[in-house]
Amino acid sequence: RDIGSTTSSLLFDMCDEATSSTLESEIRRTILFNEPRVEIEKIVVEPYPEQNEFRVTVKYKIVGTLEVITFEHILYPTR
């Protein structure tokens, strides 16, 4: 129960910049708390209110490597 985040509940909030900022902070906190082998380069959360979704981009490096990995995902409420 110590692993996880509140991102799923945030998806039912308004699809705006304020929620984007909160999602970004929650994603950052979750990664830092649960994955010490990762160095976060950048996290971007963009709201798309017309589609009721957030597009998330996370750029990170594995500790001890130079390669920057980019992960992109779309978050949307499922109910």
Side-chain angles (χ1 to χ4, degrees):
R1 76 176 194 205
D2 293 336
I3 298 175
S5 71
T6 62
T7 55
S8 58
S9 65
L10 290 169
L11 298 178
F12 293 95
D13 289 353
M14 295 292 293
C15 189
D16 58 11
E17 291 294 329
T19 306
S20 291
S21 178
T22 305
L23 274 168
E24 180 183 332
S25 296
E26 183 63 14
I27 292 167
R28 182 178 305 280
R29 184 199 65 77
T30 302
I31 293 171
L32 292 173
F33 182 75
N34 294 299
E35 189 48 81
R37 299 169 291 182
V38 168
E39 292 178 4
I40 298 171
E41 294 284 315
K42 187 174 188 178
I43 298 175
V44 176
V45 179
E46 298 175 294
Y48 287 82
E50 298 82 21
Q51 291 86 14
N52 195 32
E53 66 187 27
F54 296 91
R55 296 183 187 171
V56 179
T57 303
V58 179
K59 293 185 178 190
Y60 66 95
K61 292 191 297 189
I62 303 297
V63 173
T65 67
L66 298 176
E67 179 184 6
V68 175
I69 301 165
T70 301
F71 173 79
E72 296 179 19
H73 194 70
I74 297 173
L75 298 176
Y76 55 88
T78 57
R79 289 187 181 190

